[in-house]
Amino acid sequence: MYRIAIVGPESTGKSILAEQLAKHFNSPWVPEYARTYVEKLTQPYDYDDICNIARKQIEQEIEYEQNINAPYVFFDTELIITKVWFEYCYKKVPQFVEERLQTGFFDLYLLCAPDLPWEPDSVREHGHDRDYFFDWYKSEIEKLGKPYFVVDGVGEARVRKAIEAVFSNWCLVIGN
């Protein structure tokens, strides 16, 4: 199974893209857990909440370490985003997050560009800082030494670019 993480700043179409790619490739996708978690809170999130989100993300990854029933699995966000939020909000990252990132679980990252209009909602933050976070996520992916493609454009063009990125990277992998 080829594991693909879809990352990027808020309001860059990650969830829609994950669902569209899963449909195109007839493969599962894992929805963003942080959104579900934060929407259920009755107070602002804190450090412990982000730890809970990170643990669940790791649990979801582990579930797909043994699953080989589909060619791909698409994750709507992953631990890089959680790591950045830890650093940005609390200036510290739990060791278990750093350790899990070093396992290199993902085979490919699709980094969504902040070229879509900002759509505010009850859990989104920092709409004015999307370029800043885009660069930070890119830097974190590069530190891991993993392949990534920037996905930009609107509508079908954005989806086509992502499909081509998945396919071309897959061909590179099986060609080696």
Side-chain angles (χ1 to χ4, degrees):
M1 176 177 288
Y2 200 63
R3 299 166 298 218
I4 300 148
I6 301 169
V7 299
E10 294 181 307
S11 195
T12 56
K14 296 180 298 293
S15 298
I16 292 168
L17 186 60
E19 190 171 4
Q20 290 171 320
L21 290 171
K23 182 177 180 183
H24 178 83
F25 288 102
N26 193 30
S27 295
W29 71 286
V30 179
E32 178 186 11
Y33 179 70
R35 170 173 286 280
T36 302
Y37 185 96
V38 172
E39 285 176 338
K40 292 178 182 175
L41 292 175
T42 57
Q43 74 283 338
Y45 65 83
D46 61 20
Y47 184 86
D48 290 335
D49 289 317
I50 306 302
C51 284
N52 291 336
I53 290 166
R55 285 186 185 97
K56 179 64 174 184
Q57 289 174 308
I58 292 168
E59 180 184 309
Q60 290 172 327
E61 290 177 10
I62 291 170
E63 179 181 329
Y64 282 93
E65 283 179 340
Q66 289 86 31
N67 186 349
I68 55 172
N69 296 330
Y72 304 98
V73 62
F74 298 91
F75 281 74
D76 175 4
T77 73
E78 63 86 66
L79 281 177
I80 284 176
I81 290 177
T82 310
K83 176 186 176 185
V84 166
W85 280 111
F86 273 121
E87 289 181 9
Y88 183 81
C89 297
Y90 305 105
K91 309 294 185 241
K92 61 181 179 176
V93 179
Q95 188 61 34
F96 77 91
V97 170
E98 295 282 9
E99 289 170 0
R100 181 64 188 184
L101 281 167
Q102 293 307 312
T103 67
F105 174 77
F106 288 98
D107 301 301
L108 175 66
Y109 286 85
L110 298 178
L111 178 58
C112 293
D115 58 344
L116 298 178
W118 170 259
E119 293 184 21
D121 70 21
S122 63
V123 298
R124 288 185 176 146
E125 302 175 76
H126 306 288
H128 58 284
D129 288 337
R130 294 191 305 158
D131 289 327
Y132 171 77
F133 285 104
F134 175 87
D135 291 340
W136 195 346
Y137 299 144
K138 181 180 176 207
S139 173
E140 291 296 327
I141 295 167
E142 290 172 345
K143 285 178 192 175
L144 293 176
K146 290 292 188 168
Y148 71 93
F149 288 89
V150 174
V151 179
D152 57 7
V154 179
E156 283 301 312
R158 193 178 193 90
V159 177
R160 272 194 312 277
K161 187 165 189 174
I163 290 168
E164 290 169 9
V166 170
F167 183 73
S168 64
N169 198 67
W170 174 253
C171 288
L172 288 174
V173 169
I174 62 172
N176 286 334

